[in-house]
Amino acid sequence: MVEFEYHSPGHIIFGAGSISQIPELVKDYPSKVLLLTGKDRLRFGDIEEMLKQLRFHVTLINMVAEPTDATLKDCINVARQREIDWVIAVGGGSVIDAGKVLAALIPNPGNILDYVEIIGAGKKLEKKPLPYIAVPTTAGTGAEVTKNAVIRSANKQIKVSMRDVKLIPRIVIVDPKMTMSMPPEVTANTGMDALTQLLEAYTTPMSNQFTNMLCREGLSLVSQSFLKTYDDGLNIKARSDMSLAALYSGLALANAKLGAVHGIAGPLGGMFSIPHGAACAALLPHVIRKNVDILQHDGNREFLCKFDDAAGILCDGGIGKLQAWLESIGDHMKIKSLGQYGVGPTDIRLIAMKASHSSSMKGNPVELTIQQIEEVIYNAI
């Protein structure tokens, strides 16, 4: 029996219409709240009005674009000046991660670079973050239950993580109704992110019995409902399944590790205007093919069996069928290649070099050389 630790939010609420519980959850909270939302403010007007009716002093920040370290620095300064007491974020993964950063750094000294990995000092938080409620509006990243926040550095052209178990939100509300307005392209990209996280967390050497259970159940939900959400965004059963799969993927990656898809997607997102889920979708079949080829060459039955098991859950077949299934899903959902986002052959070397230093690469089931990473990127273009 493998020993492991498990971290998760103190309170997870799941279900259609569950945002109606916000008034009861926050009735005893202090008066000054920071509300973070995505760029479409009208989608979140009900929550803003709900907080105002409860007599909270609401500071609203719309994240109109993926937040950078510079953007977040400005937000922290505003929040400190207004003496914010707690934070609620309603949006996709970038908004949820921004909420983690703000809740953590408003009460803590220093700046973002003191706490991020790779380009910063990677310090742990000294003080407890402000109370933080996360409400996802997409079914993909699972950011609402993870202990890291992904931040884009505009100057360094890379995405890096701030990582600390204290970043995990205090309360998480997963209301599948909040995902029903996602257009098909966003549904596809975010769903591919959840699928990638489930596959990578399941096949990493850092997995354990608990994360394996979450991944297998999440993969089953994806198999049943991913295509349904793309074809019919108003199917609340399918939306609920994918919201739960995304939640499981976040809980799994927070307590295991990811792999080469995310290792490459980080630098891509820093260098190009490409949604994270879209990068994962373009890379996933090619990373799996590379991993499986190496595992078969090395005769590594342990991880080959895991890929076989995942294939059986997703498409009732073996590894070969899994690769074909991923490609057919991509064709059906009109997944774009990296080349369609402007990635070209001359970019491959730099992306691969940056990816080789990513913490996610340490979770891949095989160690990839720079040349092998380059081959994956080339095939995804």
Side-chain angles (χ1 to χ4, degrees):
M1 184 71 82
V2 177
E3 296 182 0
F4 64 91
E5 294 183 12
Y6 181 74
H7 300 285
S8 69
H11 194 176
I12 298 175
I13 301 169
F14 182 93
S18 55
I19 62 166
S20 64
Q21 298 187 39
I22 288 177
E24 182 63 25
L25 292 167
V26 304
K27 64 181 181 181
D28 296 324
Y29 274 34
S31 63
K32 296 177 182 177
V33 55
L34 174 63
L35 171 61
L36 284 179
T37 70
K39 59 184 177 182
D40 185 2
R41 177 177 175 174
L42 294 177
R43 287 186 64 202
F44 316 108
D46 289 349
I47 293 177
E48 181 183 4
E49 186 59 32
M50 187 187 301
L51 293 170
K52 287 180 177 178
Q53 288 182 2
L54 293 168
R55 302 187 183 281
F56 285 106
H57 301 288
V58 180
T59 295
L60 176 68
I61 296 180
N62 296 115
M63 309 302 293
V64 297
E66 193 173 45
T68 65
D69 48 352
T71 303
L72 292 170
K73 179 182 177 182
D74 292 340
C75 294
I76 290 167
N77 289 336
V78 169
R80 286 173 175 169
Q81 290 169 5
R82 299 192 182 184
E83 299 179 330
I84 293 298
D85 297 309
W86 63 284
V87 178
I88 179 170
V90 187
S94 294
V95 175
I96 300 296
D97 278 354
K100 293 180 193 173
V101 174
L102 296 179
L105 294 191
I106 291 168
N108 273 282
N111 58 53
I112 292 175
L113 285 179
D114 292 326
Y115 299 95
V116 297
E117 301 171 343
I118 300 178
I119 63 171
K123 288 170 50 179
K124 295 297 182 184
L125 298 171
E126 297 177 19
K127 298 180 181 180
K128 182 187 294 187
L130 297 180
Y132 175 40
I133 298 176
V135 186
T137 60
T138 62
T141 67
E144 65 272 12
V145 292
T146 62
K147 57 188 175 184
N148 70 299
V150 179
I151 301 164
R152 183 174 180 269
S153 170
N155 290 335
K156 302 286 187 179
Q157 290 193 315
I158 192 171
K159 287 185 178 180
V160 294
S161 284
M162 180 176 165
R163 198 180 305 273
D164 194 306
V165 71
K166 297 187 184 74
L167 291 177
I168 298 176
R170 180 177 296 188
I171 298 174
V172 170
I173 302 173
V174 182
D175 186 340
K177 285 186 175 181
M178 299 293 286
T179 71
M180 293 180 71
S181 61
M182 283 194 297
E185 183 177 5
V186 178
T187 297
N189 289 339
T190 55
M192 287 298 291
D193 188 16
L195 171 57
T196 301
Q197 289 172 174
L198 290 164
L199 283 170
E200 291 198 313
Y202 188 50
T203 57
T204 178
M206 285 75 167
S207 68
N208 57 62
Q209 291 92 335
F210 203 91
T211 59
N212 287 343
M213 175 183 67
L214 292 169
C215 291
R216 297 185 86 258
E217 179 61 23
L219 290 170
S220 178
L221 292 167
V222 170
S223 175
Q224 296 168 33
S225 296
F226 190 12
L227 279 175
K228 292 177 183 177
T229 61
Y230 181 81
D231 293 335
D232 178 11
L234 298 181
N235 184 328
I236 187 60
K237 171 63 167 60
R239 288 292 193 188
S240 296
D241 283 353
M242 288 304 296
S243 290
L244 193 55
L247 178 68
Y248 288 163
S249 79
L251 290 168
L253 77 87
N255 293 279
K257 200 79 174 173
L258 292 173
V261 175
H262 279 81
I264 301 169
L268 275 171
M271 295 170 63
F272 297 90
S273 181
I274 175 172
H276 173 70
C280 291
L283 289 163
L284 181 59
H286 306 290
V287 170
I288 287 182
R289 182 173 289 110
K290 180 62 69 177
N291 283 341
V292 168
D293 286 348
I294 296 171
L295 290 168
Q296 289 175 333
H297 179 269
D298 294 344
N300 190 322
R301 291 302 307 162
E302 178 185 356
F303 291 105
L304 286 172
C305 285
K306 278 205 159 183
F307 277 109
D308 258 329
D309 186 49
I313 296 169
L314 284 169
C315 54
D316 195 24
I319 292 173
K321 191 172 181 180
L322 173 60
Q323 294 167 358
W325 181 81
L326 288 171
E327 289 170 356
S328 68
I329 287 281
D331 290 342
H332 183 86
M333 295 186 176
K334 301 178 177 65
I335 297 296
K336 297 177 182 178
S337 68
L338 296 183
Q340 290 174 281
Y341 289 99
V343 183
T346 58
D347 303 306
I348 292 175
R349 183 68 178 180
L350 180 57
I351 297 168
M353 291 296 293
K354 288 185 175 183
S356 67
H357 299 294
S358 168
S359 62
S360 290
M361 280 295 183
K362 299 173 184 175
N364 205 53
V366 296
E367 185 176 349
L368 299 180
T369 65
I370 295 290
Q371 182 180 349
Q372 289 166 336
I373 298 171
E374 290 177 343
E375 290 170 1
V376 166
I377 300 167
Y378 178 82
N379 290 330
I381 292 176

